[in-house]
């Protein structure tokens, strides 16, 4: 007889997918760093408004991928009680939300929460400060 909390097959699949995604976090962060270096180098080479659009988009995509991996790592660190099966009733979803809020206060989850906030802030700052389309002449 297995001890511990049972979970549905759907929740186990979600956790497994998050563990795989969380395992790619360092690689995705390295890709984002390289994309940022390429963007900065392209900005120095062409400082005009119509400059390095492809590099800016690549950096945004790399930051988004790193953010998704960090969010998955945060969910994995928070534990299996923070997952609700797709199609679960409102009570189960609410219990998972409450468990996630409680888990974010634990020392094992706090660094991931801070990393998610840092990456989200960096992505939004990039999106707000970098123009990817040339300005329209008036």
């Amino acid at each position: 007889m297995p001890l511990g909390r049972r979970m549905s097959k759907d929740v186990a699949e979600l956790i497994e997918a998050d563990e795989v995604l969380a395992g790619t976090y360092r690689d995705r962060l390295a890709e984002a760093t390289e994309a940022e270096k390429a963007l900065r180098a392209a900005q120095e080479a062409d400082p005009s408004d119509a400059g390095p659009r492809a590099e800016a988009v690549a950096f945004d995509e790399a930051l988004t991928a790193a953010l998704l991996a960090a969010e998955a790592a945060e969910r994995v660190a928070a534990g299996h009680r923070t997952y609700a099966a797709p199609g679960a009733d409102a009570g189960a979803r609410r219990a998972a939300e409450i468990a996630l809020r409680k888990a974010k206060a634990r020392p094992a989850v706090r660094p991931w929460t801070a990393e998610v906030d840092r990456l989200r802030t960096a992505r939004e700052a990039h999106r707000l400060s970098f123009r990817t389309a040339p300005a329209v002449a008036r």
Side-chain angles (χ1 to χ4, degrees), residues 1 3 14-15 17 23 44 52 58 70 76 89 93 100 107-108 121 124 129 133 135 137:
M1 178 167 126
L3 297 176
L14 291 173
I15 293 172
E44 288 177 8
V76 168
D89 64 336
R93 287 192 315 268
L100 180 61
T121 301
E124 294 305 316
S129 66

Side-chain angles (χ1 to χ4, degrees), residues 25 66-75 104 109-123:
Y25 169 72
L67 177 62
L68 291 175
E71 288 172 343
E74 180 185 33
R75 288 190 301 270
K104 285 186 177 186
V109 182
R110 266 190 237 138
W112 287 113
T113 303
E115 185 65 12
V116 166
D117 291 343
R118 184 184 74 84
L119 287 171
R120 189 173 288 129
T121 301
R123 184 184 68 175

Side-chain angles (χ1 to χ4, degrees), residues 126-138:
H126 169 68
R127 286 181 176 177
L128 290 172
S129 66
F130 194 85
R131 188 176 311 169
T132 58
V136 177
R138 293 185 186 189

Side-chain angles (χ1 to χ4, degrees), residues 31-49:
E31 290 170 5
T33 303
E34 291 302 316
E36 183 180 19
K37 288 179 184 176
L39 174 64
R40 300 302 174 219
Q43 281 177 328
E44 288 177 8
D46 185 11
S48 68
D49 282 346

Side-chain angles (χ1 to χ4, degrees), residues 5 11 81-85 87-99:
R5 181 181 162 112
V11 170
R81 291 185 180 187
T82 62
Y83 289 85
D89 64 336
R93 287 192 315 268
R94 183 66 179 147
E97 290 173 5
I98 291 170

Side-chain angles (χ1 to χ4, degrees), residues 7-19 83:
M7 65 180 95
S8 72
K9 188 186 300 185
D10 296 335
V11 170
E13 290 172 359
L14 291 173
I15 293 172
E16 185 178 330
D18 275 349
E19 287 173 347
Y83 289 85

